[in-house]
Structures are given as structure tokens and as C-alpha cells.
Amino acid sequence: MHAFRIVKRQEPLGWASCLVISGAVVFALGVSATLLMIQGKSPLSGLTLLFQGAFGSRYAWEDCIVKAIPIYLCSLGVAIAFRLQIWNIGAEGQFALGAVGATWMVYHFSFLPAILLIPLMMTGAFAAGAFWGLIPAFLKLRMRANEIIVTLMMNYIAIFFLDYLVYGRWKDPASFGFPMTPTFPESAVIGKIAGTGVNWGLLLCLVCGVLVWIFFRYTRLGFELKASGESIQAARYARLPYENLVVLVMVLSGGLAGWAGFLEASATLNRLQPSIMAGYGYTAIVVAWLARLNPLYIGIAAVLLAGLRVGVENLQLELQVPAAFGEIMEGMILLTVLAASFFIYYRFKPGRRG
Amino acid sequence: MSWWDMLVPLLAAAVQSGTPILYATLGEIFTERSGVLNLGVEGMMIVGAFAAFLTAKWTGSPVLGFLAGGCFGAALGAVHGLVCIGFNGNQVVSGLALTILGIGLADYMGTPFIGQSAPGFDPVPFPVLSDIPGAGVVLFHHDLLVYFSYGIPVVMWFFFRYTRWGLRLRSVGEYPHAAAAAGLNVSRFRWAGVLVGGFLSGLGGAYLSLAYTHLWTSGLTAGRGWIAVALVIFAFWHPGRAVVGAYFFGGVMAFQFRLQATGTHIPSSLLLMLPYALTILVLVFSSWRGRDQRAPAQLGVNVEPSE
């Protein structure tokens, strides 16, 4: 019936996979441009505005990197969990808890100098994020509850908890009714790298990225983790401590997302307010998957998707395109790349099927 | 007011707000029975909700709107089918992408319509049955879409249990290789699973915009699609148990709104957590209790195209 059949490649495509992925992204851009056309806007000028807004000036670049920082940390954490085939969809909630944990420290220890307060905030953020990650790990291991749904539900709960704090208990009495905490004291603020608009969170990203890379590449534990992710049966057979690995992975994953929340509160907003929840935790999943869980590629993908957000802001300003355009593009890119990956692992062979 | 006078309206509200969840849960059961995990329910629902709203507004016909909601849900489901069945993509990731895409699409197209209303469905007392004391008010003082939803679990139960096609669909979810060896076209059945599931999820979304709110707001689904995904596990993939779960959550949501309306001192953000926290509890409970009940054996696993 068919003039060709599908066979698995001996080796997945190497450098040529870049071509496949780029092709998929171009396809997704094309579809998104069509959507602009539906709303009666010129697709070409739309895409141009998108790119100019994202990477057209020094200021745009800085904005991209500032937004890429929380995405990178969340995505790095998500990628660690995905390596073990633990589907942590909860970076968004772990991020929220991290921001709350850091703010809690500011509330109680604001008298301390920065050199003590910042490490305390980092500890609080990591612990709170890790705690939020531990609950689904525990429920998965002890009660066999599906972690996808638990982590997702915990995102909703975390966001309402953050709302509860900033609308009530932690609300700045001088904020004219706006739901926000008072501005952090200077000792709780992460500064900018001299001469740029980018904060020192960038350094934290680099350190974490290198550590994660070393962990997977050179440590026994990292190797065990990768092996268990390939096959749980094999891991059990080899007596690898699967349960401990799940806990470890969720602690690291939650903690990293927590740090992203800490940076966002401390360096970008200088306070806690509901707008801190910008959906970075969900974008992080897209980034991790596009980058095939590799710490370096995650960096590249994080900047690109941060660029998409910044570019869409420009599009919003110039063409009055709704902000949701960015989400559509994110979803489209991920779907087309998923579909296109087929060609990395399979090829067509002439001849009849079977 | 006696407890009876309070309970009956609450139960009636539970049925009403449980109906969109019911449609979506039944849809996802259908899809998962064929072996495909589609986590994009939330996305398919909200796209269905918007398509239904817009169609009803343009044509003036709520029935056409309802059907359009189903069709657009199925269309988004087809994207999942294309990626997973056609191109062997990861089902978990594709479903998540579908949710992001669906929410984005509905927001993008819907922004100009926020706050506008469309012709929808109003309650019509069911002849005769609505006069039953208690149960009549709870079950038979609703709109047509609620009555329609009563039929679906019965049809699905019969389909899975007593029809050849239902058995085949299940076999594709349990043992795709055996099914293929027996001469079934596995991908065709999985496509059917994805499309029917998407259609029902879309109907669930359509219920929200046409009968529940009668107007368009952004974020209309508010996590109901995810609750539906959790309820599939609670229901152990049986349509009958899905009814129980959906109305339970409908009750929780109705109760929470009522409590908020009474001006309680509990902050609203804490009340809003309730359905999501309960979803975790229900999931944990049913996963723990249902250790011997299991998902379709090959749920979420693609069939290698070269085999």
C-alpha cells in the first residue's frame, strides 16, 4: 500500500537534528503569523516587531536575560526531575513558595546586614520550594498518587497562598489597598552587575548550571539517576535507591524553582506581589523539553523563550496584539518540535510496508 | 430554614457545576481507554468554551454553539493525535503543550469579547420527573445539556461492555500488539479515542460558556480540566464512577461559592484553594485504595511505527 516504510535509525541524527528543530520552529512561526493575519495585522511586520522587541537593542537584550534568569533556574530543576521520568509540573508553585520563603526571612530578619540576610533568604527560598516539591514526592512514593496532577494542583494552592499573604497578613498598610508587601530594605535586594541592567542572579544561574552538568557527567549519583530514568525496572534490578533518587530530584527541583522565586522578589520586584506569578514555571517545562534537558541548551532556550515574552510585549504595544500570542507560540513551538523529533529517530525507507 | 431546604438547592447546584467536569471526565476516560493519555483537557475545554460562545453569538443558536464547542475540542484533540499517534511524540509533553496552546488561543481570540454574553441554555423543568419531591429539584430542574449528560455515561458503559467496537477500543489500550496481531488498526482506534475524548471535553467547555455563565470571561475553566484528569483515576476508568466524582466536585465548588456569598470571615483565597486541595486528597485516597485497580496497561505508551 505504501511506497515506503518507516524504520528506526541506528543512531539518532546528530548535527542534522538542529536542522529538523529549526524547521519545526520556522513552521510554528509561520502558523503564528497566520493568526496575526486573521486579526487583520500584517504578519511580516508582526514578526519583525517581535524580533526587534526581543533582540533589537541593548535594552531589549538585557530585558531578555533578566527574564531568562528565573526561567533558567526553574527549567534546570524541572530537567533534573524529567531525567528520572518524574513529571514535575509544579515549578510554578515551587517558585511561588520560594518567593514566600525569602520574603518571610525579610520580615523576620530585616535588621541583619545583607551579607547575612541574603544567604538566609536563599536558605528560606530553597527550603520552601523543596518542601513544596517533597509533598508530591512523598505522595507518589507512599500513596502512589500521580505526581503530574499533584504538582499541578499544588501550583493553584501555592498561588492562592501567596495571594492570601499579600492581600492580608503581609499587606503594606501604606500601599493604598494594593496587594503588595512593603518594599524590601536595601540589605534584602540583589543588586545589578555594574554597568548593566542585569542582576547578579545570572551568576547563580551559571554556578547552578555548571554544578548540574558536573553532577550528571562526573558523579556516580548523577549516573545512577540517569540510568534509573532510562528504565525503572533496570534500576530496581541493579538495586539503585529509586525512592531516595525521587526525593533528591524533587528537593533539587523545588529548591531551584524556589531560588528563581527568591531572585524575582529580591532583584526584580523588590517586594512580594501577585504579579510575580508570570507563568515562568510553565515556560520552564517548554524550555527543558526543547533543550532536551541539557543544562547548556537550557540556557539558550531560556533566552529564546524569554525573548519571545519580551518581543510579544513590543507586539502588544505596537500592534495591540493580546499577550496570549506568546502562549500560542510557546505551545505551537513545543508541539511542532515534538512532532519533528520523529525524523531524528526514524527514517523512511523505500519498499513496501512489513 | 430546615436542613432540607438548604441541602436540596446545594445538591441541585452540585449537579449543575459538576456537569462540565462530567463531560470532560467522560471524554478523558474514552481517550485513556484507547491507550492515549491526553493531558490537554484544560486546553480543549477552554477552546470548546470559546468556540461555543462565539458560534452561539454569531448564529443565535445555542445548539449550534454546543456542537461547535465539541468540534473545536476534537480539533485540538486531533493536534494531540497528530503529534503522538502520527509522529510518536511524548504524550505527557504534548498534552501539556496542548493546554498552553489552548489557553493561549482562547485568550487571544477572546480578549475583545470579555464580558459579552451569548444566547445560551436556560433551565427547563423535565416533564413529570421534575415533580418528584427532592430528587426532582436536584436532578430535573436543569437545562437540556444537563439532561443530555445523563445519557452519556450509560451509552459509554454499554459501549465498552457490550459492543464489539468497545471491546476492540479497550484492547488497543491494554494490549496494542495483540490487537494489531488480531488484525486491528491500532492507530485508527487511538485516533477515535482522541477525537471522541476531545469532542466531549469541548462539550464540557461549551457548557461553561453557554449554560453556566452565559458570558465570556478569560480563564473560564479555572483548572476544571485538570480536576477531570484526576477524576479519571478516581473513577478507575469507569463512566459510572465518573458521575459520582464529578458531582462531588460540583458540590464542593457550589458550597465554596455559597460560603463566600454569606460573607464569612475566611479569606476568599483560602476558600478558593478548596477544590484543588480536595483533588489531591481524592487522588491520594483513590490511588491508595485502588492499588489493584489499574490504568489501561499501555496508557501513555506509543506504538513504535516500525514494528
Side-chain angles (χ1 to χ4, degrees), chain A residues 19-56:
Chain A
L19 278 181
V20 174
I21 303 285
S22 315
V25 173
V26 169
F27 179 81
L29 284 178
V31 176
S32 316
T34 322
L35 276 173
L36 284 179
M37 230 151 65
I38 292 176
Q39 291 220 328
K41 279 142 195 163
S42 154
L44 211 63
S45 66
L47 290 183
T48 319
L49 281 170
L50 189 76
F51 280 109
Q52 274 175 354
F55 305 113

Side-chain angles (χ1 to χ4, degrees), chain A residues 6 35 152 156 164 324 342 346, chain B residues 87-88 107 223 226 269 304 306:
Chain A
I6 298 161
L35 276 173
L152 208 116
Y156 286 99
Y164 162 72
F342 180 82
Y346 299 93
Chain B
F87 288 101
N88 229 27
D107 259 2
W226 290 105
S269 31
E304 291 273 321
S306 49

Side-chain angles (χ1 to χ4, degrees), chain B residues 6-148:
Chain B
M6 308 229 317
L7 186 68
V8 167
L10 185 66
L11 287 180
V15 170
Q16 208 212 356
S17 51
T19 298
I21 304 176
L22 179 61
Y23 275 112
T25 309
L26 291 172
E28 183 64 9
I29 288 179
F30 200 92
T31 305
E32 292 195 11
R33 277 286 171 119
S34 75
V36 180
L37 176 70
N38 186 351
L39 295 178
V41 182
E42 180 83 5
M44 298 187 295
M45 271 182 99
I46 198 151
V47 164
F50 180 69
F53 165 82
L54 202 61
T55 310
K57 192 173 177 60
W58 279 350
T59 65
S61 156
V63 175
L64 278 183
F66 188 55
L67 286 176
C71 291
F72 275 83
L76 206 58
V79 174
H80 187 66
L82 195 66
V83 171
C84 298
I85 306 169
F87 288 101
N88 229 27
N90 183 298
Q91 295 184 11
V92 173
V93 181
S94 168
L96 288 171
L98 210 60
T99 297
I100 297 174
L101 176 67
I103 294 176
L105 275 173
D107 259 2
Y108 178 78
M109 308 294 277
T111 307
F113 296 97
I114 288 176
Q116 295 189 28
S117 61
F121 293 88
D122 291 309
V124 188
F126 204 92
V128 187
L129 294 175
S130 58
D131 296 331
I132 307 171
V137 177
V138 173
L139 294 172
F140 298 106
H141 272 267
H142 293 293
D143 50 81
L144 292 174
L145 304 185
V146 173
Y147 303 142
F148 182 61

Side-chain angles (χ1 to χ4, degrees), chain B residues 23-307:
Chain B
Y23 275 112
T25 309
L26 291 172
E28 183 64 9
I29 288 179
F30 200 92
T31 305
E32 292 195 11
R33 277 286 171 119
S34 75
V36 180
L37 176 70
N38 186 351
L39 295 178
V41 182
E42 180 83 5
M44 298 187 295
M45 271 182 99
I46 198 151
V47 164
F50 180 69
F53 165 82
L54 202 61
T55 310
K57 192 173 177 60
W58 279 350
T59 65
S61 156
V63 175
L64 278 183
F66 188 55
L67 286 176
C71 291
F72 275 83
L76 206 58
V79 174
H80 187 66
L82 195 66
V83 171
C84 298
I85 306 169
F87 288 101
N88 229 27
N90 183 298
Q91 295 184 11
V92 173
V93 181
S94 168
L96 288 171
L98 210 60
T99 297
I100 297 174
L101 176 67
I103 294 176
L105 275 173
D107 259 2
Y108 178 78
M109 308 294 277
T111 307
F113 296 97
I114 288 176
Q116 295 189 28
S117 61
F121 293 88
D122 291 309
V124 188
F126 204 92
V128 187
L129 294 175
S130 58
D131 296 331
I132 307 171
V137 177
V138 173
L139 294 172
F140 298 106
H141 272 267
H142 293 293
D143 50 81
L144 292 174
L145 304 185
V146 173
Y147 303 142
F148 182 61
S149 74
Y150 292 158
I152 302 175
V154 182
V155 172
M156 261 175 76
W157 169 78
F158 184 82
F159 173 77
F160 283 135
R161 183 113 198 208
Y162 294 110
T163 68
R164 187 191 302 181
W165 295 102
L167 186 68
R168 287 177 174 174
L169 189 102
R170 277 162 57 200
S171 75
V172 164
E174 297 284 351
Y175 309 107
H177 294 113
L184 296 182
N185 187 330
V186 171
S187 26
R188 207 166 286 171
F189 276 93
R190 291 195 159 182
W191 266 106
V194 169
L195 291 177
V196 172
F199 187 82
L200 286 173
S201 296
L203 293 187
Y207 185 85
L208 283 172
S209 57
L210 294 180
Y212 195 70
T213 60
H214 290 266
L215 51 78
W216 178 252
T217 57
S218 79
L220 192 60
T221 46
R224 285 180 179 84
W226 290 105
I227 292 177
V229 174
L231 282 182
V232 172
I233 299 171
F234 164 81
F236 302 138
W237 293 267
H238 289 296
R241 284 184 57 107
V243 178
V244 180
Y247 291 160
F248 171 71
F249 270 93
V252 171
M253 286 180 165
F255 176 72
Q256 167 217 312
F257 279 122
R258 261 147 216 253
L259 209 59
Q260 245 174 303
T262 59
T264 155
H265 291 297
I266 310 171
S268 68
S269 31
L270 292 187
L271 279 179
L272 287 167
M273 283 180 193
L274 198 64
Y276 307 104
L278 268 176
T279 306
I280 296 179
L281 275 183
V282 164
L283 182 75
V284 165
F285 174 72
S286 42
S287 312
W288 178 241
R289 241 202 62 201
R291 271 158 302 170
D292 38 318
Q293 304 270 353
R294 50 170 196 80
Q298 294 296 304
L299 179 61
V301 183
N302 287 325
V303 178
E304 291 273 321
S306 49
E307 283 171 20

Side-chain angles (χ1 to χ4, degrees), chain A residues 49 309-324:
Chain A
L49 281 170
R309 279 165 174 262
V310 178
V312 166
E313 279 172 15
N314 194 37
L315 213 53
Q316 224 177 329
L317 218 65
E318 301 282 334
L319 287 185
Q320 285 77 46
V321 173

Side-chain angles (χ1 to χ4, degrees), chain A residues 115-134:
Chain A
I115 192 139
L116 293 174
L117 185 56
I118 298 282
L120 261 182
M121 287 167 75
M122 287 180 72
T123 315
F126 193 94
F131 167 70
W132 216 238
L134 263 176

